[in-house]
Amino acid sequence: MKKFGLITLLILFVFAGISQEKRVLSLEECIEIAVKNNLNVKRSELNLQTAEVNLLQSQAGRYPTLNANGNYGYNWGRGIDPTTNQFIDQRINFNSVGVSTNIPVIQGLQVTNSIRQGKLNTQASRKDLEKAENDISLNTANFYLNVIFNKELLDNAQFQLESSQQQLDRTKKLVASGALPLSNELQLESQVATNEVNLINAQNNLDLAVLALKQALLLPPGQEIDVVIPDITIDQAEIENSSIMNLYNQALLNMPEIQSAQLRVESSQVGVEVAKGGMYPSLSISGRMDTRYSDASQQFVPTSDPVTVQVPTDLVTENGDDIFLQQEIADGNFETTSLSTQYDNNFSRSLSLNLNIPIFNGFNTRSQVQRSKITLQQAEINEREQQNILYQTIESSYRNAVAAAKTYSASQKQVASLEETFRAVENQYNNGAANFTDYQVASNNLFQARTDLSRAKYDFVFKQKVLEFYQGKPLTF
């Protein structure tokens, strides 16, 4: 029993280890997972499928229709026999079957234009899907870079803690030898405690950043993830050599939301032609075949051989003799005509040419034309609006990228200067020429400057990636 319990615990431990296995993801993998799981993307995929179904339905408008029909029932009292069209006063059992077809010939180009409009709407829906994928890609890249940023902050906090701990260890030895007062040791212990709190906060911020990324990817709660730290190249010259108009013109060619808006305008233009098609005559060919059965239809069935008899008439010969007609008479019964016989006897066919000329239909067609023109104007306004939004986004992104580049350069200089200041103050403190307050200020200033540098770096990297993305470049490092 003990052995079985040990094996069970071992198995549970192995499965627990498997369930907690951490996935290390690159930016490309994160974007792929996010696009696959995102609900907005799935909604756009369904919209695309709807557009494809509508296109298929429009294309089917070119083909003939074919329908089969049938009925079965009873009739009581006075009525019309459906097979003879005679009045009868009895209960009858009847049925009929048939097929009908309609072949469109001329429809005012409505079918052709509907197919054109369906193709344009399908292309626009596909661009909307690309737009949804782009949005989630940028959002994922932002979360990804935030994880890397917090990792760097955690490294900075760890470095500051290790530096303070080393200084504390050295000070303890000097205090023990009587070279420094005990107050220096106590002050450094306070600094180490503060750095430990900073480290804990940095770790918590990193955990929250990873959690935000995992939630953006819609991964299950038990899945642990980490990210690949890429080699990031900072190229400020690329931003300086760019111009807003060049970036905007490239984005006009690459961004799917602009292409979707343009396709919607074209679709609305075709929609006007579809509505106008209702003003023109239409021509179609219709055909039908049917047959019917009724148990009221009867036929005589003889039960004996016929006998020829002389039947007198009102006619006479020239000599005055009566004229007789010969007629065969046999015994028999009236029986309901069989189903197959009635179907053969009642089989009918029809073919017609149908012309419809619209004259007055309560202004329905004209109203539809006006509505389609309004839809076209709305599509044109939406296209201009998307262009304006894109230009504003490009301009803001460019200005932010330029500012981020300048901030990054200034932060680099600040860190370099404060590193030299910290080294000098640290040497003075170790030699007793500076007090602890000077050392603490120099240390905290350096830590804050490194934090600002990390923030400026990743802020610039993200804004640079946004501009590259609008130029059609993939989100990668």
Side-chain angles (χ1 to χ4, degrees):
M1 180 63 70
K2 291 182 178 180
K3 183 177 181 181
F4 176 77
L6 181 61
I7 294 175
T8 303
L9 289 175
L10 181 60
I11 293 174
L12 291 175
F13 175 77
V14 171
F15 277 100
I18 293 175
S19 64
Q20 296 299 322
E21 183 178 356
K22 183 178 294 186
R23 292 182 62 183
V24 180
L25 303 173
S26 64
L27 175 59
E28 293 79 3
E29 291 173 327
C30 288
I31 291 176
E32 181 180 356
I33 294 173
V35 169
K36 180 181 178 181
N37 295 338
N38 186 261
L39 298 181
N40 286 332
V41 173
K42 292 183 182 296
R43 189 177 293 109
S44 297
E45 290 174 348
L46 293 176
N47 291 337
L48 175 59
Q49 293 177 17
T50 300
E52 291 173 344
V53 171
N54 292 337
L55 173 59
L56 182 62
Q57 183 179 8
S58 299
Q59 292 172 333
R62 287 177 169 174
Y63 306 126
T65 60
L66 180 64
N67 298 287
N69 59 79
N71 64 2
Y72 180 88
Y74 290 90
N75 187 66
W76 292 269
R78 183 174 177 82
I80 297 177
D81 183 353
T83 59
T84 63
N85 286 327
Q86 295 179 350
F87 283 101
I88 57 176
D89 189 3
Q90 67 183 74
R91 195 198 76 165
I92 62 171
N93 177 6
F94 62 90
N95 69 68
S96 65
V97 293
V99 293
S100 61
T101 183
N102 185 73
I103 304 173
V105 179
I106 299 174
Q107 301 292 329
L109 295 179
Q110 283 186 306
V111 175
T112 300
N113 288 327
S114 294
I115 294 174
R116 287 178 55 202
Q117 187 177 31
K119 290 180 179 179
L120 291 170
N121 287 337
T122 301
Q123 295 173 10
S125 295
R126 189 170 289 111
K127 294 300 179 181
D128 292 338
L129 174 58
E130 292 180 17
K131 171 64 166 56
E133 293 175 347
N134 286 350
D135 290 343
I136 190 62
S137 297
L138 284 173
N139 192 46
T140 302
N142 189 24
F143 284 120
Y144 186 90
L145 287 174
N146 193 41
V147 172
I148 300 175
F149 164 63
N150 280 280
K151 277 181 172 290
E152 191 162 312
L153 292 187
L154 179 63
D155 292 339
N156 291 341
Q158 183 67 41
F159 175 80
Q160 187 185 33
L161 175 60
E162 292 173 355
S163 177
S164 298
Q165 186 64 53
Q166 291 173 1
Q167 187 65 36
L168 175 60
D169 295 339
R170 182 179 180 281
T171 301
K172 283 183 177 180
K173 295 178 182 179
L174 294 175
V175 170
S177 64
L180 290 176
L182 180 61
S183 60
N184 285 24
E185 179 181 345
L186 296 177
Q187 290 172 335
L188 274 171
E189 287 180 349
S190 175
Q191 179 66 32
V192 169
T194 300
N195 293 341
E196 288 175 347
V197 172
N198 292 338
L199 180 63
I200 293 172
N201 291 334
Q203 181 64 57
N204 183 60
N205 291 335
L206 174 59
D207 294 339
L208 291 176
V210 173
L211 176 61
L213 175 61
K214 187 171 72 171
Q215 291 175 342
L217 303 183
L218 293 179
L219 293 175
Q223 178 66 62
E224 297 294 330
I225 65 171
D226 199 356
V227 299
V228 177
I229 306 298
D231 294 329
I232 298 178
T233 302
I234 305 297
D235 186 6
Q236 300 180 13
E238 183 177 356
I239 298 296
E240 296 173 355
N241 295 331
S242 301
S243 67
I244 296 176
M245 287 307 302
N246 288 338
L247 294 172
Y248 173 67
N249 291 331
Q250 291 178 351
L252 284 177
L253 300 176
N254 296 319
M255 289 298 99
E257 58 267 33
I258 300 300
Q259 298 168 358
S260 173
Q262 293 171 346
L263 290 168
R264 298 291 182 190
V265 171
E266 296 181 32
S267 172
S268 299
Q269 291 172 344
V270 178
V272 174
E273 299 302 320
V274 173
K276 288 181 177 179
M279 296 180 176
Y280 302 110
S282 62
L283 182 66
S284 64
I285 299 175
S286 298
R288 181 177 180 83
M289 294 186 297
D290 59 24
T291 186
R292 61 199 62 84
Y293 165 85
S294 170
D295 62 1
S297 176
Q298 296 184 338
Q299 63 181 1
F300 180 78
V301 179
T303 58
S304 63
D305 294 333
V307 176
T308 302
V309 296
Q310 299 290 332
V311 178
T313 66
D314 295 335
L315 302 176
V316 295
T317 64
E318 294 179 355
N319 298 327
D321 298 328
D322 293 332
I323 297 177
F324 293 87
L325 293 178
Q326 293 183 350
Q327 184 176 357
E328 291 184 349
I329 299 177
D331 295 332
N333 300 314
F334 282 93
E335 296 180 359
T336 301
T337 307
S338 66
L339 179 68
S340 60
T341 300
Q342 289 196 49
Y343 274 3
D344 289 338
N345 294 339
N346 296 324
F347 183 69
S348 65
R349 295 167 290 271
S350 66
L351 184 66
S352 62
L353 189 65
N354 309 309
L355 176 64
N356 181 51
I357 303 176
I359 298 177
F360 180 77
N361 56 7
F363 295 102
N364 288 333
T365 302
R366 293 186 180 276
S367 298
Q368 184 60 37
V369 172
Q370 292 299 320
R371 283 192 291 267
S372 62
K373 289 181 178 179
I374 293 173
T375 301
L376 172 59
Q377 294 174 355
Q378 291 173 337
E380 292 172 342
I381 291 174
N382 181 68
E383 181 186 16
R384 291 195 296 270
E385 183 180 34
Q386 291 297 327
Q387 291 173 350
N388 291 338
I389 292 174
L390 180 62
Y391 181 81
Q392 293 170 4
T393 303
I394 292 294
E395 186 175 24
S396 298
S397 300
Y398 178 79
R399 301 295 184 192
N400 291 334
V402 171
K406 294 178 180 179
T407 302
Y408 177 68
S409 298
S411 296
Q412 284 181 311
K413 297 176 182 179
Q414 183 184 34
V415 168
S417 175
L418 290 176
E419 283 177 343
E420 293 299 325
T421 301
F422 177 73
R423 291 192 189 97
V425 172
E426 186 178 34
N427 290 332
Q428 293 175 1
Y429 178 75
N430 293 334
N431 295 324
N435 56 34
F436 176 77
T437 301
D438 296 333
Y439 173 82
Q440 186 181 36
V441 170
S443 176
N444 291 339
N445 288 342
L446 178 58
F447 175 75
Q448 185 61 46
R450 286 174 174 171
T451 299
D452 293 340
L453 177 61
S454 297
R455 181 177 289 105
K457 179 176 71 172
Y458 290 106
D459 182 53
F460 171 72
V461 168
F462 179 72
K463 290 179 170 58
Q464 185 182 39
K465 289 298 177 182
V466 169
L467 289 178
E468 292 177 356
F469 186 75
Y470 280 112
Q471 296 175 65
K473 299 179 181 179
L475 281 174
T476 186
F477 292 104

